[in-house]
Amino acid sequence: MQQQSARLETRAGEALTLQGVRFTGTLRGTLFEAELEQRFANPFERHVELVYSFPLPWAAVLLGVEVRIGERCLSGAVIEKKQAEQGYEDALAEGNTAILLEQNFDGSYTLNLGNLARGETCVLRLRYAQVLQFEQHGLRLVVPTVIAPRYGDSVADAGLKPHQVVEHDLMAVHPLELTLRIEGELARARIGSPSHPLSMRLEGEGETAAMLVSLGRGGALDRDFILVLDEVAQDSLAVCAQDTLDEGAVNVLASFCPRVPAAAHPLAVKILVDCSGSMQGDSIAAARRALQAIIAGLREGERFSLSRFGSTVEHRSRALWRTSAATRQAGQRWAMQLQADLGGTEMENALASTLALAGDAEPSPGTEEGAAAVDLLLITDGQIHAIDRTVKRARALGNRIFVVGIGSAPAEGVLRRLADETGGACDFVAPGEAVEPAVLRMFARLRSQRMDALQLVWPTGAEPVWMSPLPGSVFDGDAVTVWARFAQVPHGWVPDQPVRLVGRMAQGDAPVALGEASLSAVEPHAVLGRMAVAAQVEQLLAGEGAQSLRAPEALALAVAYQLVSPLTHFLLVEARAEADKPEDMPDLVKVPAMLPAGFGGLGSVDLLYIEPNMAPLTVNDTPTAYGAPAAAGFGSFDMNALDAPAVMRSGARVLRSERRTQASTYDIPAFLRRGADRAADEPPRDDPRYWSAEPHYSGLTPLGLTHWLRSHTQAEWPRTYAALHRIGVGTAVLDWLEFVLADGEDEAQVVACFVEAMAQRELHDALRSTNGMLGRLKALTQRVRPAAAPEARQVEVASESLAARLQVFVSTLQAETWPDCVFALRDAASALERSGVGVE
């Protein structure tokens, strides 16, 4: 029997190269300092070069790298990018051990660990810091652990090199240990996590109190760790730190919590939901919950539109709807039936198509400027590579984009950049997390007054030599953080002097004070000083063409302050003894990443986070039949529904008309589905006369519906809204029937009258004809009769009213398109009685 020592392996029996990660951090005020320890090993019988790509938090600054190989503690340096890459390759060619840490074009990092000998171990410790942002009276700390698969070409779209591209392994498991220390006033805040179970212990008393937070059970690198601190006493601050290299220079971190009054004009927002394949599972379930809460939060008279996208874009309406009982119910129904079935994530075209929808906001009361601008609210996980092109297109469109990030590992940097560069804002919802807080925060931002011409007013005599740019917009309750650098402490500068943030309201003249911070005493603080320089390097490299013009200055700063940046890499080289050098170049081994929990429908995040003192929001995790009632618009939340991959779950709960595009029906062989799903006499979907596939409507055309009805016996005709949906009638027509045409009448009566009107042979012939169709349709209006029995007088009266409304509708039909009234969802059904309303 062959004996082998114990070792960690994947479930597939492969040896692990990344043995685990340990994370520790300390939160003091808004400054978070952390250490990330990664443990590697070479389990192979040869020298290897390990390559591992991983994320760091948005806006984090990498401060230092420590390396231990075996028992040897080593140190390296940050040098110019090309010099580091050449030095690394030369070291490998000479048989030495080398480590190269590079910041990728998309903000992620790649570790190259070259010439690790057989059985050798390496421990890498990364130190970083970030300034957290107050968001609507709370703090949200995110520790990203995994880079999810992204749509697009990673090399052409994201600028990655082939070795930097992340490879995922469904069977990989990388353990995570995590410990945090929360000091000062924040130790008394309300603390929770929507991503992991926690173990917390209070240490000390009074001003020295600290909350120790650790994972309640074993973790893994399969989801971001999220810590939420609520009921935080927000305050503006201005911290002054001596520069570590430039004697006499002072770096200032100024953070403000502005107070912006709510806007007076009604809200107008175009809602765009990501339904690409990456949203399957937990993400699309969270998107449904978020969208339902958003629609419920719209006020009467405000306007909205609904769209979803993947490889293509589908618009629920042709223009903005006015919020009413009918449109709110239609929106809730549309949200409940969302599926992640639209393929890839073509976000750039989806943004342009949605913003091009017709519709304006209502004018502000008491103003003469006309309608307010329309904003766009995007719900997505942000898993795309082509972010640069998308941001450029979004900025050119000129609309604010607000983002709700969804999933266990959303692309935070991508989404924040998209929001920041268009003057919007960003919020996140983890699987199982209550969505109401995020939605309420987003509504508060959307309804904030638009501010421009922001500026800082420093104490008299103080003039910074450099200052980070102010944001294009501010929102009530969100922090505004600014870095500044002074050549020396200004004369007369004393602690507690105020720094004020001022701005101008849209169409306003006088500046308005938004926040004020008191300067602290100047003290040595190496971390803040280096973070200020990192912000300066980032600004120097921002903008088109800036890298070529300002690269020398940015490079000099990054090297002087030892900052890993797009222009610099960390390099460490250890010379090996001649006897220990390999005879050949090391084999390249990529460390595979875990798939994020719940990604693509593979499993589910099994932690349901209920925010303290807040009633849980429950939603239906699977689509329901059209017209099925749900209490208050919601059903029960089934956490087990996603435990199995989508391809292994039964498709019995999905409507037949939806199955053709659902992965959930792959458990039924195609030769068995063919006969059940499509009869030979059904209208052909590839014929635009019978089936519409427009962005605003997908389903049977008027001619397609008449064809279906004429091809089936009356016993097979639909009798409910759900039955109409199953044969292919689109959601827009069904919502119009239920919320406009019915006007309170019984569902069976409405469907029967509608079906009878559409089944007339003369109507079918008129729709097929290209000559004199309008006259023939007007004549047919007199043939529309109530379908109910005349026994009950009240039913007969109601049916006559229904038939009268159908007369106008039938007279405006066209073969391939439904009338505009179907997509407008009129508030009053009586509008149908007025001549010509269907073709406005």
Side-chain angles (χ1 to χ4, degrees), residues 298-317:
L298 290 168
R299 300 169 182 169
E300 292 293 327
E302 294 183 329
R303 293 183 177 272
F304 71 100
S305 66
L306 299 169
S307 305
R308 72 186 195 118
F309 77 98
S311 299
T312 58
V313 188
E314 295 180 1
H315 303 303
R316 178 60 185 82
S317 62

Side-chain angles (χ1 to χ4, degrees), residues 630-834:
F634 303 110
S636 61
F637 185 69
D638 181 10
M639 293 299 292
N640 297 321
L642 296 171
D643 286 344
V647 295
M648 298 179 65
R649 296 199 298 272
S650 171
R653 295 173 296 180
V654 184
L655 300 178
R656 187 179 71 178
S657 59
E658 294 172 339
R659 288 179 183 173
R660 298 181 181 91
T661 57
Q662 296 296 318
S664 55
T665 60
Y666 289 173
D667 53 345
I668 305 174
F671 72 91
L672 292 178
R673 293 200 310 270
R674 189 178 302 118
D677 277 3
R678 181 169 184 262
D681 53 359
E682 286 191 0
R685 292 203 174 199
D686 56 355
D687 191 332
R689 296 177 303 163
Y690 298 99
W691 190 271
S692 175
E694 297 298 322
H696 60 275
Y697 176 80
S698 178
L700 288 171
T701 64
L703 177 58
L705 178 57
T706 61
H707 177 89
W708 192 99
L709 294 171
R710 298 296 300 171
S711 303
H712 292 74
T713 65
Q714 289 191 12
E716 298 175 291
W717 286 1
R719 292 180 173 85
T720 64
Y721 299 132
L724 282 170
H725 192 266
R726 282 194 292 271
I727 69 171
V729 177
T731 304
V733 177
L734 297 172
D735 284 345
W736 180 83
L737 287 174
E738 182 176 1
F739 303 132
V740 179
L741 179 66
D743 198 19
E745 296 194 25
D746 180 69
E747 175 181 351
Q749 184 69 42
V750 173
V751 174
C753 198
F754 174 71
V755 167
E756 183 174 315
M758 296 298 297
Q760 296 175 87
R761 185 182 63 185
E762 293 87 346
L763 175 61
H764 182 257
D765 294 341
L767 291 175
R768 293 185 61 183
S769 173
T770 57
N771 299 316
M773 186 180 71
L774 183 59
R776 299 179 68 181
L777 288 175
K778 287 184 177 180
L780 279 171
T781 61
Q782 303 304 317
R783 299 175 61 91
V784 178
R785 289 290 181 268
E791 293 82 43
R793 179 60 184 166
Q794 58 202 26
V795 175
E796 181 181 352
V797 172
S799 300
E800 288 176 354
S801 174
L802 187 64
R805 293 195 295 274
L806 273 172
Q807 287 182 9
V808 177
F809 176 78
V810 170
S811 68
T812 60
L813 287 176
Q814 299 182 33
E816 299 179 17
T817 58
W818 295 95
D820 287 349
C821 64
V822 167
F823 307 99
L825 275 187
R826 300 285 179 180
D827 294 350
S830 59
L832 286 169
E833 299 174 2
R834 297 193 298 268

Side-chain angles (χ1 to χ4, degrees), residues 324-342:
S324 65
T327 57
R328 189 179 282 114
Q329 290 183 48
Q332 294 281 8
R333 188 74 48 75
W334 183 83
M336 278 201 307
Q337 295 177 342
L338 284 178
Q339 295 293 322
D341 56 2
L342 291 184

Side-chain angles (χ1 to χ4, degrees), residues 355 373-374 393-400 422 450:
L355 289 173
V374 179
R393 180 73 175 274
R395 195 168 50 230
L397 292 170
N399 292 73
R400 296 191 305 180
T422 58
R450 293 172 181 258

